[in-house]
Amino acid sequence: MRSDLLLIGGVTLLATATATATTKMSSDYTSLKEEDCRTLNTDQDIYQADCPSKHNYLLQAVGRDLRLGVNLIYNHHKVSYQPLPSFRVGETVEWRYEKVGNLKKYHALIYRIYTAQIDPLDGDAFYLSREQDKQQLVVIRLNKEKSCLLGVIEPSKNMNREARKLADNKLAECIK
């Protein structure tokens, strides 16, 4: 009986390894640069632009009051992350996908934000240089109308790898 269980376990491991070998996680990239996006609105200190995106999602750069962020929209369902201090976004969006045969199955979006750091001497968020902004990576699960925020990766030397690991984890739960 014990050898049967081991044999069954060995077959299961072999089958799992074979299934994993046929899929590959990878990334495509799009731009959030103003020149690559189509400006929709610049009225009353509001900026809104449609930026290049993938797989029927709409990606918008939106800004107001010294904050520039990203909205991911699918069929009127919007996901965004906007921290309280002033912030801006990086110029590149990473679209994670699983390649199955010749198909790309997009499952996550990763982008960088830079949060202004408050001057400890006078509380002026605009006093410190932009080079001192705190970098974070925002990870969003792509699931059409059920797309959601998976997490925000704090600064570390491995933050890109951590963001991809979270993005590729099918069991990760949404935080909002």
Side-chain angles (χ1 to χ4, degrees):
M1 178 83 169
R2 192 170 210 136
S3 62
D4 289 340
L5 286 175
L6 290 174
L7 179 60
I8 290 171
V11 171
T12 301
L13 287 175
L14 180 61
T16 302
T18 303
T20 305
T22 61
T23 63
K24 181 184 176 206
M25 300 295 185
S26 194
S27 300
D28 280 338
Y29 299 89
T30 59
S31 173
L32 290 172
K33 293 179 185 174
E34 188 173 345
E35 61 266 19
D36 295 327
C37 300
R38 185 173 54 91
T39 301
L40 302 173
N41 185 7
T42 56
D43 295 340
Q44 302 170 357
D45 296 329
I46 296 172
Y47 172 75
Q48 184 179 16
D50 285 346
C51 298
S53 59
K54 301 280 182 186
H55 202 59
N56 297 319
Y57 288 90
L58 176 61
L59 191 63
Q60 288 185 334
V62 293
R64 181 182 190 137
D65 295 334
L66 301 174
R67 290 174 173 86
L68 181 62
V70 172
N71 288 337
L72 176 75
I73 303 169
Y74 188 93
N75 244 6
H76 305 290
H77 174 74
K78 179 174 76 171
V79 179
S80 64
Y81 172 74
Q82 302 196 355
L84 214 38
S86 299
F87 67 96
R88 60 190 169 86
V89 295
E91 296 180 338
T92 305
V93 174
E94 181 175 359
W95 298 81
R96 294 293 291 166
Y97 66 85
E98 182 177 15
K99 190 157 187 177
V100 181
N102 289 331
L103 291 176
K104 291 181 179 180
K105 298 176 83 177
Y106 290 94
H107 61 269
L109 177 85
I110 302 170
Y111 64 92
R112 190 174 307 274
I113 61 170
Y114 299 86
T115 307
Q117 297 302 290
I118 307 298
D119 184 341
L121 298 177
D122 66 8
D124 183 359
F126 311 107
Y127 183 78
L128 295 178
S129 67
R130 296 287 67 100
E131 292 81 31
Q132 295 181 16
D133 287 352
K134 176 182 176 182
Q135 292 186 43
Q136 296 172 302
L137 291 173
V138 177
V139 183
I140 296 175
R141 171 173 287 138
L142 300 177
N143 190 11
K144 300 181 180 180
E145 291 90 352
K146 294 179 183 176
S147 296
C148 61
L149 179 65
L150 282 177
V152 179
I153 306 299
E154 293 298 319
S156 76
K157 66 179 183 176
N158 297 318
M159 67 190 298
N160 289 339
R161 185 173 33 210
E162 290 173 30
R164 288 182 185 122
K165 184 177 177 182
L166 177 60
D168 296 342
N169 181 353
K170 295 178 182 183
L171 300 177
E173 294 187 20
C174 299
I175 60 173
K176 91 174 197 185

